[in-house]
Amino acid sequence: MKYPARVKIIDVGPRDGLQNEKQPVPAAVKIELVQRLQDAGLKEIEVTSFVSPKWVPQMADAASVMAGIVRDSGVLYSVLTPNLKGFEAAVASRPDEIVVFGAASEAFSQKNINCSIAESIERFAPVVQAALDAGIAVRGAISCTVGCPYEGEIAPEKVGYVARLMKDIGVQRVDVADTIGVGTPIKVQKALEAALAHFGIDQVSGHFHDTYGQALSNTLAALELGVWNFQSSVAGLGGCPYAKGATGNVATEDVIYLLQGMGIETGIDLDKLIDAGQFISDHLGRPTQSRVAKALLTKRAG
Ligand code: HMG
Ligand code: MG
């Protein structure tokens, strides 16, 4: 088995992680989290979302967070924009990349962004065009690629359908997301392959929530296909407010430990990453969800 020689991680903790917190997290804390992630060597960070504050109040400070981060020229900062209103608000913050987010499940599309899959593509098209015209890169997230909290199992054909529609409107790369963490390796490979029918291997990433504890296995299954881009959250933060019961993303610390153990290059300093995870966990007042961080923190204490 030949695995990729290197892997790129987008840490989505500041966005996917903190969008789901019950308690408000001050912008200053989000800004420091971004700083700590870049200090740990992350080259891509999903910072925030320009979404309706009525839908997701946790992201209402998007512009302040973007204004407060101290940018490193080697780091790509992305933000979620569900519509033109969000894009227009985001553009002033100079994101390197915007993310339009759709779903392979009709019911989830309705719950999350209040429109059908077809309508979402119609909404995204002018956003994608405006971003490309402004020299901003465009990523597309596809939720519920293996399972949906409302529809159950999702066929790979539905993933292929959305991936094709995204490709047709100019989306440059896509995230295959297991929103509720129900996927297992073969199912996840099928979902990835459905996206790979429309996008190249460098343009497809894995975004695995760890609700059922399968995310590392699914990461390995993705690596076996040659996928080398992944999203994860420091300390395993995360969850979508419209996917009840779904827990956080796979912890970045756990993915890095896996990759380092396999001799795959990531450019990330695991100790500094654990410090970043500890910073946000301390702020939230609960232990990290990362098994690797727990183990290494215990070792440090000893
Ligand atoms: P809507 O209610 O259908 O939108 O929501 P609307 O166009 O009818 O507007 C309604 C109100 O929202 C208006 O305000 C608009 O101005 C305002 P009002 O007149 O009532 O005062 N509005 C906005 N305000 C700020 N920024 C905007 C914006 N758009 C409208 N961009 C909408 C449609 C998409 C806006 C809404 O459903 C929404 O914000 N949804 C966001 C849901 C979300 O953020 N979910 C979590 C992120 S996705 C995720 O976590 C999954 C992922 O991690 C992958 C995975 O794991 O699956 C990416
Ligand atoms: Mg997610």
Side-chain angles (χ1 to χ4, degrees):
M1 186 69 64
K2 199 173 173 303
Y3 293 105
R6 75 183 173 102
V7 154
K8 191 136 69 142
I9 300 282
I10 306 181
D11 198 291
V12 297
R15 194 281 304 169
D16 201 329
L18 299 181
Q19 77 181 7
N20 208 34
E21 284 303 320
K22 301 259 177 307
Q23 49 178 323
V25 177
V29 171
K30 298 175 178 175
I31 291 164
E32 180 164 351
L33 178 60
V34 169
Q35 184 65 47
R36 285 172 174 267
L37 290 171
Q38 65 196 44
D39 290 348
L42 265 303
K43 294 292 176 225
E44 295 201 32
I45 303 173
E46 203 171 85
V47 179
T48 186
S49 305
F50 287 84
V51 294
S52 163
K54 285 183 195 147
W55 284 63
V56 187
Q58 295 88 340
M59 295 286 111
D61 58 2
S64 315
V65 175
M66 284 299 281
I69 59 173
V70 180
R71 295 183 202 216
D72 177 325
S73 59
V75 176
L76 184 149
Y77 302 92
S78 54
V79 301
L80 267 57
T81 58
N83 53 17
L84 264 180
K85 188 177 169 83
F87 175 75
E88 279 155 13
V91 111
S93 298
R94 298 183 298 110
D96 299 302
E97 180 176 59
I98 55 117
V99 184
V100 290
F101 50 104
S105 143
E106 283 292 350
F108 188 80
S109 181
Q110 288 290 353
K111 295 271 186 197
N112 195 40
I113 51 174
N114 205 23
C115 62
S116 69
I117 294 172
E119 285 162 349
S120 75
I121 297 295
E122 272 171 41
R123 242 183 230 182
F124 300 154
V127 176
V128 173
Q129 196 52 55
L132 296 176
D133 289 348
I136 300 170
V138 180
R139 182 151 54 86
I142 310 176
S143 286
C144 297
T145 61
V146 279
C148 166
Y150 312 103
E151 290 183 12
E153 199 146 329
I154 297 293
E157 291 70 34
K158 293 194 176 165
V159 181
Y161 168 69
V162 180
R164 181 175 60 74
L165 293 176
M166 284 192 172
K167 178 84 185 179
D168 288 348
I169 59 167
V171 168
Q172 294 167 307
R173 55 179 184 155
V174 285
D175 311 331
V176 173
D178 182 6
T179 312
I180 54 170
V182 290
T184 44
I186 307 292
K187 287 181 188 172
V188 164
Q189 284 184 336
K190 292 202 167 120
L192 288 164
E193 279 164 348
L196 286 165
H198 305 283
F199 288 88
I201 195 73
D202 299 342
Q203 278 85 46
V204 171
S205 68
H207 175 120
F208 307 135
H209 285 261
D210 202 25
T211 320
Y212 287 75
Q214 304 298 304
L216 283 180
S217 311
N218 294 339
T219 302
L220 190 64
L223 289 168
E224 283 174 4
L225 294 183
V227 169
W228 62 283
N229 287 279
F230 293 93
Q231 283 129 39
S232 56
S233 284
V234 68
L237 302 170
C240 175
Y242 298 98
K244 293 280 172 264
T247 60
N249 292 86
V250 64
T252 308
E253 297 90 321
D254 295 5
V255 176
I256 297 303
Y257 181 84
L258 170 79
L259 297 170
Q260 285 184 350
M262 294 174 71
I264 296 174
E265 192 195 315
T266 66
I268 291 169
D269 180 326
L270 183 56
D271 276 320
K272 285 189 179 168
L273 183 63
I274 286 172
D275 293 340
Q278 204 46 33
F279 163 76
I280 192 64
S281 300
D282 284 348
H283 177 81
L284 297 173
R286 59 162 191 262
T288 175
Q289 295 300 304
S290 161
R291 301 280 290 267
V292 166
K294 278 182 195 157
L296 292 178
L297 285 166
T298 306
K299 203 169 163 189
R300 270 190 203 173

